[in-house]
Amino acid sequence: MNTILNKLNWRYATKKFDSSKQVSKADLDTLLEGAKLTASSYGLQPYEIYVIKNDNIRQELRKASYNQPQITDSSYLFVLANKPNFDEALIDDYIDNIVSTRGVTKEDLEGYSQSMKSALLDLPNDDKNKWSSNQAYIVLGNLMTLAAEMEIDTCPMEGFNKEQYNKILGLTKKGLNAAVVLAVGYRSTEDDTQHYPKVRYSQEQIITHI
Ligand SMILES: Cc1cc2nc3c(=O)[nH]c(=O)nc-3n(C[C@H](O)[C@H](O)[C@H](O)COP(=O)(O)O)c2cc1C
């Protein structure tokens, strides 16, 4: 079988991590670089990633996550935080980044800037939150696939209280919101879930070729 498909079959949402095994700093950096390289709508990257190692904070977060053990027993906890009520600064910062990265002028990008502003800035707050959160989920998918390729285990998690996370991590005052969480580490040999067959619809059920 194709190697990447082997890796995607190898991965599973890890329920029990082996807390004695640590993801190396070099592998952590590779994962974070992969997160950085993720594509986003217009390229706006309306999110930040919190990498949490601190045990006390993770104990608090576990309480806000239905006591799920992955929160404390993984090597790292990534909290992917979207920008739920972004304003024109999101677009202006991005334009500045293109100018310095690609050596073009702001004037060259005026049309692009205006089209992003008119598409995004008048959205109702709920839609801004949804759109920016969607972008954070693309990071989540990339991280899971990259980790699998590196034979690092992960558990994507929505089972947590966002308000409590925002409070514990001080996200709201930074204009951020906890969108989704990824526990990263190495599976315990005692995690029976790793042996369960994957439950998926067949290609015929979910794919339409036209
Ligand atoms: C966005 C998202 C949120 C999830 N939240 C949780 C969670 O809070 N706790 C958990 O143990 N698993 C969680 N899962 C894992 C799913 O249940 C799991 O990915 C799915 O059943 C498919 O199984 P597999 O990933 O092992 O192949 C989540 C998965 C995704 C993609």
Side-chain angles (χ1 to χ4, degrees), residues 154-208:
T154 57
C155 187
M157 304 176 82
E158 278 177 331
F160 65 94
N161 181 303
K162 291 188 178 190
E163 284 73 31
Q164 287 176 27
Y165 264 57
N166 291 345
K167 201 164 169 206
I168 294 165
L169 298 172
L171 297 178
T172 308
K173 59 177 178 286
K174 292 183 174 160
L176 294 168
N177 167 59
V180 68
V181 165
L182 187 70
V184 179
Y186 292 104
R187 65 187 68 178
S188 161
T189 52
E190 290 163 18
D191 187 352
D192 290 337
T193 323
Q194 65 193 285
H195 306 298
Y196 297 169
K198 291 231 171 285
V199 180
R200 297 293 193 269
Y201 291 118
S202 67
Q203 285 202 27
E204 289 69 29
Q205 286 171 301
I206 61 162
I207 293 166
T208 302

Side-chain angles (χ1 to χ4, degrees), residues 46-83:
Y47 42 69
E48 291 186 18
I49 300 167
Y50 278 58
V51 179
I52 301 166
K53 187 74 188 146
N54 181 288
D55 287 335
N56 294 334
I57 292 176
R58 289 210 279 173
Q59 287 295 348
E60 275 189 73
L61 293 175
R62 179 169 167 167
K63 286 185 214 143
S65 314
Y66 306 99
N67 199 31
Q68 296 191 76
Q70 299 97 314
I71 301 291
T72 48
D73 298 350
S74 52
S75 289
Y76 294 98
L77 189 72
F78 294 176
V79 177
L80 309 188
N82 64 302
K83 299 185 173 177

Side-chain angles (χ1 to χ4, degrees), residues 10-40:
W10 172 87
R11 71 144 294 281
Y12 72 107
T14 303
K15 306 294 174 199
K16 195 171 170 28
F17 283 91
D18 180 345
S19 54
S20 70
K21 288 192 192 160
Q22 285 299 305
V23 171
S24 70
K25 180 76 177 60
D27 284 347
L28 174 66
D29 284 346
T30 301
L31 290 173
L32 297 177
E33 188 63 17
K36 189 196 89 176
L37 289 170
T38 296
S40 59

Side-chain angles (χ1 to χ4, degrees), residues 118-183:
S118 62
L120 295 169
L121 294 183
D122 292 335
L123 289 175
N125 279 346
D126 275 2
D127 289 0
K128 281 186 178 172
N129 187 23
K130 210 165 159 193
W131 172 80
S132 55
S133 168
N134 286 345
Q135 311 310 314
Y137 274 77
I138 303 172
V139 179
L140 178 79
N142 253 4
L143 277 169
M144 289 170 64
T145 304
L146 179 55
E149 170 61 28
M150 296 164 71
E151 298 199 351
I152 292 172
D153 288 294
T154 57
C155 187
M157 304 176 82
E158 278 177 331
F160 65 94
N161 181 303
K162 291 188 178 190
E163 284 73 31
Q164 287 176 27
Y165 264 57
N166 291 345
K167 201 164 169 206
I168 294 165
L169 298 172
L171 297 178
T172 308
K173 59 177 178 286
K174 292 183 174 160
L176 294 168
N177 167 59
V180 68
V181 165
L182 187 70

